Amino acid sequence: MSELKNDLFLRACKKQPVERTPIWIMRQAGRYLPEYRAVREKADFLTMCKTPELSAEVTIQPVDLIGVDAAILFSDILVIPEAMGMQLEMHEGKGPVFPSPIRDEKSADELLDIDPFMHLSYVLDAVAETKRELNGRVPLIGFSGSPWTLLTYMVEGRGSKNFAKVKSLIYNNPKLAHKILDKLSNAVAGYLTAKIEVGVDAVQIFDTWGGILAPDDFKEFSLQYVEKIISNIFRNDEPVIYFPKGVHHSLIEISNCGANVIGLDWTMDIGDVRKVIGDKVALQGNMDPTILYSPEEKIKKEALKILESFGDGSGHVFNLGHGILPDVEPQKAKHLVDVIKTESIKFHK
Amino acid sequence: MSELKNDLFLRACKKQPVERTPIWIMRQAGRYLPEYRAVREKADFLTMCKTPELSAEVTIQPVDLIGVDAAILFSDILVIPEAMGMQLEMHEGKGPVFPSPIRDEKSADELLDIDPFMHLSYVLDAVAETKRELNGRVPLIGFSGSPWTLLTYMVEGRGSKNFAKVKSLIYNNPKLAHKILDKLSNAVAGYLTAKIEVGVDAVQIFDTWGGILAPDDFKEFSLQYVEKIISNIFRNDEPVIYFPKGVHHSLIEISNCGANVIGLDWTMDIGDVRKVIGDKVALQGNMDPTILYSPEEKIKKEALKILESFGDGSGHVFNLGHGILPDVEPQKAKHLVDVIKTESIKFHK
């Protein structure tokens, strides 16, 4: 494996000095890129995830086309429940569906304990292939869903507005919920450890649905399992990013979860958060993804606002506050990357 | 008009002493009640809104059946854009649709300036009918959407995940957005004034989509118009409740908007919010609506947690943090009301 030619992202995650703020974009390997859509035309979503060459190809596209400072492996958080034995279907435009969601002890007991090298070897092959093709240009990020976010999908079975089923589970049978969350924590820790073993340089835990829980429930059903995972991952100094989308409370507890970096959505002021939690972790984020619908001057103005709000010094990884939207023009994403590359220098004198 | 027999809700809104904490429930006149569904079988949703006898009937049902301390007029926030000339369709299970959403100057210019006594007289008739039938048992609340929340529906045209259209509008043509928001503010202020004139005892402004905006955008495109409305409503001492769902930032600014009461969703700790903004406004909320799927002991435990978090003294109107869900058992809602009626006494010694 070659040495990294651009390690700005890793240094910022570790709060080491950098010459400028690094940037990557959630869902940067995605439908807004015509080059991605060309690959997607040849294979469905899950086939792309399961074919290391295709996964590597789309993973690297935004490095070439947009100029981001890190690649994130093209995959999906739901490959874990699928590996545990749940049938997974991807419906174009409607999102993922589990036709047989988990609703009782019996279906929960049937979930397999997984060995990533056996049950998710295609992901690890994709990591190896991507690392080879990246050839040290930028670091590669691996990711997983948080146990709570995975549980939400596994119990609801499909997109939900009120999350009635998973909330009913935690309020009526918390013991069963904890049992599944515990099993998921073991699976996620093993999965992220395996990814690190085969070459990813950092990992991110997506807690997309952490924000639907009241503060006490968030700590009980989500955060404690994230802490457990982070302390159970075997790693050298690969950073861990935790992104609890929509969670605006419990900031101190979140900053103590063991992650090197906390991801923020766009409803927080990044400078205010830095003031509240101090400098013990780096922060990632947090521009509203819809700003990329704006004219270029407006994108620049908003990007600058975030750089200024974070302020001087290392510990900031620029990103959107959620995934890039499929109808954004690629040129707008490239413009954002260029703005960060030039305008952030003055915050690192 | 008879004197109110139970004015606990109004006194709590004004932070006057009460013997116990009052409670009402957002969407309390709704599908979870078999008695509501029986009326709904005879008429579609908009017909119910537009027929004063039906509107009054379902408005009063939860007073009789659940025992709440206030009634809220059965209606919909989208009657205002409809009165301004937009065609409105209600699709069962899919929510409201505007087949011709506002996307340009021309369609914005065609929006009518409305006179509520002319264009929305059916709502005012429903208020009068409901007041008559309530006969002073509990206060009657009238409501409106905030200009921002109305704009969101008017521009998106239907349910949205990313709010791409309305965000594009505010970023690419903020001038047009402000022009429509200004027109909506005048309409809402006139509408709420008219409702007060014909008899409602309080009004609530729902800002359901305030939380999708970054903090600066929220202040520019939502909060300033709410302030304008509140200062333009003609009223005696009828309280105004502002419910900015999902807005966890800008709490000080929100508490200074002129409303007597701020509504909170369930992701906030009500005691923490009280500490931050002090005692200048009353607070309403804020139990997670899905808690009503729980066993009765759990509902009691969670209700007590909120009462204790708010603490002693007046200025708390108990409510859920969002509307009651259609598949909740009515007995669970009644249990919550009973718990609040008995358990809250000790916080008002």
Side-chain angles (χ1 to χ4, degrees), chain A residues 155-168:
Chain A
V155 172
E156 296 292 336
R158 57 186 65 230
S160 174
K161 209 175 135 194
N162 301 310
F163 301 94
K165 300 280 188 301
V166 72
K167 295 267 190 98
S168 286

Side-chain angles (χ1 to χ4, degrees), chain A residues 167 212 248 266-267 288 293, chain B residues 167 172 212 248 266-267 288 295:
Chain A
K167 295 267 190 98
I212 64 170
H248 51 82
W266 68 91
T267 66
D288 186 335
Y293 294 132
Chain B
K167 295 266 190 101
N172 288 286
I212 66 171
H248 52 82
W266 69 91
T267 67
D288 185 336

Side-chain angles (χ1 to χ4, degrees), chain A residues 193-204:
Chain A
T193 296
K195 278 184 171 173
I196 289 171
E197 233 178 286
V198 296
V200 303
D201 303 289
V203 294
Q204 173 158 324

Side-chain angles (χ1 to χ4, degrees), chain B residues 36-316:
Chain B
Y36 170 94
R37 295 197 299 272
V39 178
R40 180 69 184 72
E41 260 172 39
K42 296 184 288 186
D44 66 34
F45 184 89
L46 282 175
T47 303
M48 281 170 72
C49 292
K50 293 178 182 182
T51 310
E53 294 69 27
L54 296 182
S55 174
E57 181 178 353
V58 297
T59 298
I60 296 172
Q61 283 175 349
V63 178
D64 294 327
L65 299 165
I66 308 292
V68 289
D69 294 306
I72 181 161
L73 188 76
F74 179 81
S75 186
D76 193 87
I77 63 168
L78 299 181
V79 298
I80 287 188
E82 192 195 36
M84 292 172 107
M86 294 186 75
Q87 189 194 335
L88 171 63
E89 297 170 3
M90 290 288 181
H91 296 250
E92 192 62 41
K94 275 179 58 190
V97 170
F98 289 116
S100 307
I102 306 293
R103 299 277 164 86
D104 53 26
E105 305 266 355
K106 191 175 160 291
S107 53
D109 285 341
E110 286 168 5
L111 292 170
L112 305 174
D113 287 313
I114 55 167
D115 173 349
F117 286 95
M118 188 148 72
H119 300 93
L120 288 160
S121 58
Y122 64 85
V123 180
L124 306 177
D125 292 343
V127 169
E129 176 67 24
T130 307
K131 281 294 285 186
R132 200 155 38 236
E133 293 186 31
L134 268 176
N135 194 27
R137 270 177 290 169
V138 294
L140 177 63
I141 306 168
F143 68 91
S144 168
S146 74
W148 166 252
T149 289
L150 293 176
L151 182 72
T152 298
Y153 283 105
M154 290 160 72
V155 173
E156 296 292 335
R158 57 186 64 231
S160 174
K161 210 176 135 191
N162 302 310
F163 301 94
K165 302 279 189 299
V166 72
K167 295 266 190 101
S168 287
L169 174 69
I170 64 173
Y171 298 139
N172 288 286
N173 196 346
K175 216 177 127 190
L176 178 59
H178 282 298
K179 193 172 149 187
I180 310 173
L181 288 165
D182 207 58
K183 192 179 259 196
L184 285 168
S185 302
N186 293 335
V188 170
Y191 180 59
L192 293 178
T193 296
K195 277 184 171 174
I196 290 171
E197 236 179 283
V198 296
V200 303
D201 303 287
V203 294
Q204 174 157 324
I205 300 170
F206 285 87
D207 201 356
T208 313
W209 299 121
I212 66 171
L213 292 169
D216 287 350
D217 291 336
F218 168 73
K219 281 169 227 157
E220 177 177 348
F221 294 99
S222 187
L223 189 59
Q224 69 156 315
Y225 293 100
V226 171
E227 287 167 356
K228 188 181 164 185
I229 289 166
I230 296 176
S231 68
N232 284 346
I233 297 174
F234 287 95
R235 52 175 173 148
N236 296 305
D237 63 346
E238 293 82 2
V240 177
I241 307 166
Y242 175 46
F243 176 49
K245 182 170 181 289
V247 183
H248 52 82
H249 50 76
S250 317
L251 287 177
I252 300 297
E253 292 88 339
I254 288 171
S255 69
N256 287 328
C257 77
N260 304 74
V261 188
I262 303 301
L264 306 179
D265 70 32
W266 69 91
T267 67
M268 330 275 266
D269 181 288
I270 196 167
D272 288 351
V273 175
R274 191 182 186 187
K275 269 177 225 137
V276 171
I277 67 180
D279 271 339
K280 72 188 143 209
V281 292
L283 298 176
Q284 176 174 283
N286 69 337
M287 197 170 86
D288 185 336
T290 61
I291 295 281
L292 292 183
Y293 294 133
S294 312
E296 296 198 348
E297 319 83 75
K298 169 83 176 168
I299 293 171
K300 180 173 176 180
K301 195 181 140 209
E302 293 294 321
L304 270 172
K305 215 160 79 178
I306 291 164
L307 289 173
E308 276 156 17
S309 174
F310 184 85
D312 286 333
S314 191
H316 183 200

